[in-house]
Amino acid sequence: PTMSMVCLSDFELFAKEHLPKTTWDYYAAGADECCTRDDNLVAYKRIRLRPRMLRDVSVTDTRTTIQGMEINFPIGIAPTAFHCLAWHDGEMSTARAAEAMNTCYIASTYSTCSVEEISTAAPNGLQWFQLYVYRNRKLSEQLVQRVEAQGYKAVVLTVDVPYTGKRRNDIRNNFKLPPHLKVKNFDGIFEQVETFQGQVNEKQCMTSPFKQTRAGEYDFNGAEVYGGAVNSLDPSISWKDIYWLQSLTRLPIIIKGILTKEDAELAVEHGVQGIIVSNHGGRQLDGGPASIDALSEIVETVQGRVEVYLDGGIRTGSDVLKALALGAKCVFIGRPVVWGLAYKGEEGVREILQILNDEFRLSMALAGCRNVSEINRNLIQFSKL
Ligand code: HOC
């Protein structure tokens, strides 16, 4: 890593100074008053550790597995949209960085490179695919078929976006993708789906956010704000759709956006293979819990039946250590990855991952842990919480 880049917030500063304001605002956005977005970070700082001494930490090992697949450290890349806003070949660089560092990249449906371009750019990388459910199920079905064919190893179903949260600056900026960028996964799909199904109603999808579309019904999906890109997400999505998704694929299904023990139990009962505790970077419901604060009740409920992961607010190695001590098998980082891209493309993302893992390894050693299986709840000072 470059000398001036010491920690993840150095990349944040760089990105803020160098990205166009509308792009910066989009990535930085939180819903409404950004309470949950900000609490995602602050919540780690309330947690104190109980380090153990004299445990011979001369050799440390950060390797772990997720869904049976080995990765070099328990830090993966969360799905975030529109990487080409930060770097010319966007998600392809992100995928190469994840491959080089041997960790998992969850590619977003709203990528500015297609799922095929991403997997071709990093043919030996571990890629999972983040999926939304659309009013026209055919759109989701086609995506699932494509990622299976490309060798993606899991489908990550995001369940916290029946509507997009209200991000004030995106509305003020009238945020749209610039004309040279596209949500590549849907390139040409409208025509195809129309031909095969005759049921895409593009007009319905392109209504303005916050505009009343029918009596009592608002289109908060923001298709126009977010680039006039695609068909609307389906706000009627419910638990039975897990069975629908299972009927489409043999890939493990990871449910992303769970914040309560009740929903964690339902997720397990519906047969998912993993849970990502997440509040979507605080971009959806403002006032929901910080993801690290929601983790414990979910881990306790799940009791090892499925793997539990977490995203939201991870900025330092000790944040990673705290999340693992509270039961996360792996954490995923979102905004720091686009800061890394903005800094130096693939190299910047590699630096982000390297710095965070170096910090994690150091925190582990200073807490007396030689490997990830030695990280457990005894490390947490619960009396302080
Ligand atoms: C038209 C729907 O995950 C974000 C993205 C999702 C945006 C959905 C756009 O910005 O949080």
Side-chain angles (χ1 to χ4, degrees), residues 48-57 60 321 362-370 374-381:
R48 289 289 172 271
L49 292 160
R50 301 177 62 246
R52 299 296 306 276
M53 304 299 149
L54 297 170
R55 289 169 61 91
D56 183 0
V57 286
T60 50
L321 184 64
L362 179 60
S363 300
M364 240 174 76
L366 296 177
C369 303
R370 288 160 288 216
E374 291 184 348
I375 301 172
N376 59 45
R377 284 169 72 83
N378 281 332
L379 273 185
I380 302 290
Q381 197 176 75

Side-chain angles (χ1 to χ4, degrees), residues 231-243:
N231 204 353
S232 305
L233 308 178
D234 188 350
S236 77
I237 180 175
S238 67
W239 285 102
K240 68 177 175 349
D241 290 303
I242 304 289
Y243 298 133

Side-chain angles (χ1 to χ4, degrees), residues 26 79 81 108 110 132 161 164 167 221-223 226 230-231 233 280 283-284:
Y26 170 71
S108 164
Y110 288 99
Y132 284 118
V161 189
T164 42
R167 299 119 189 223
N221 275 327
Y226 295 106
V230 287
N231 204 353
L233 308 178
H280 213 107
R283 301 161 74 81
Q284 289 299 105

Side-chain angles (χ1 to χ4, degrees), residues 99-238:
E99 180 185 49
M101 302 298 287
N102 190 31
T103 192
C104 176
Y105 169 33
I106 310 179
S108 164
T109 285
Y110 288 99
S111 290
T112 38
C113 300
S114 67
V115 290
E116 290 81 9
E117 287 170 326
I118 292 169
S119 56
T120 307
N124 300 312
L126 171 58
Q127 287 129 19
W128 292 359
F129 179 69
Q130 175 272 329
L131 181 79
Y132 284 118
V133 174
Y134 293 94
R135 289 179 202 267
N136 185 326
R137 294 288 194 273
K138 205 72 198 155
L139 287 174
S140 307
E141 285 175 30
Q142 286 196 353
L143 283 169
V144 171
Q145 284 161 9
R146 284 165 63 189
V147 299
E148 256 195 56
Q150 290 297 313
Y152 285 68
K153 294 289 187 286
V155 174
V156 176
L157 181 70
T158 300
V159 295
D160 55 7
V161 189
Y163 304 98
T164 42
K166 183 171 175 181
R167 299 119 189 223
R168 294 176 181 174
N169 284 343
D170 289 346
I171 298 167
R172 292 184 182 112
N173 296 338
N174 190 22
F175 175 79
K176 282 184 172 61
L177 277 185
H180 71 284
L181 296 182
K182 285 192 171 118
V183 177
K184 275 287 194 68
N185 286 326
F186 292 107
D187 225 7
I189 293 287
F190 276 135
E191 297 77 12
Q192 275 184 48
V193 175
E194 241 161 359
T195 312
F196 294 138
Q197 295 293 308
Q199 55 179 237
V200 168
N201 178 356
E202 205 168 341
K203 282 215 179 62
Q204 177 196 6
C205 314
M206 304 296 263
T207 48
S208 295
F210 316 115
K211 191 167 115 184
Q212 194 161 8
T213 53
R214 258 181 270 165
E217 192 182 304
Y218 285 81
D219 174 13
F220 296 110
N221 275 327
E224 207 171 81
V225 168
Y226 295 106
V230 287
N231 204 353
S232 305
L233 308 178
D234 188 350
S236 77
I237 180 175
S238 67

Side-chain angles (χ1 to χ4, degrees), residues 274-285:
I275 291 174
I276 304 184
V277 178
S278 170
N279 52 35
H280 213 107
R283 301 161 74 81
Q284 289 299 105
L285 174 68

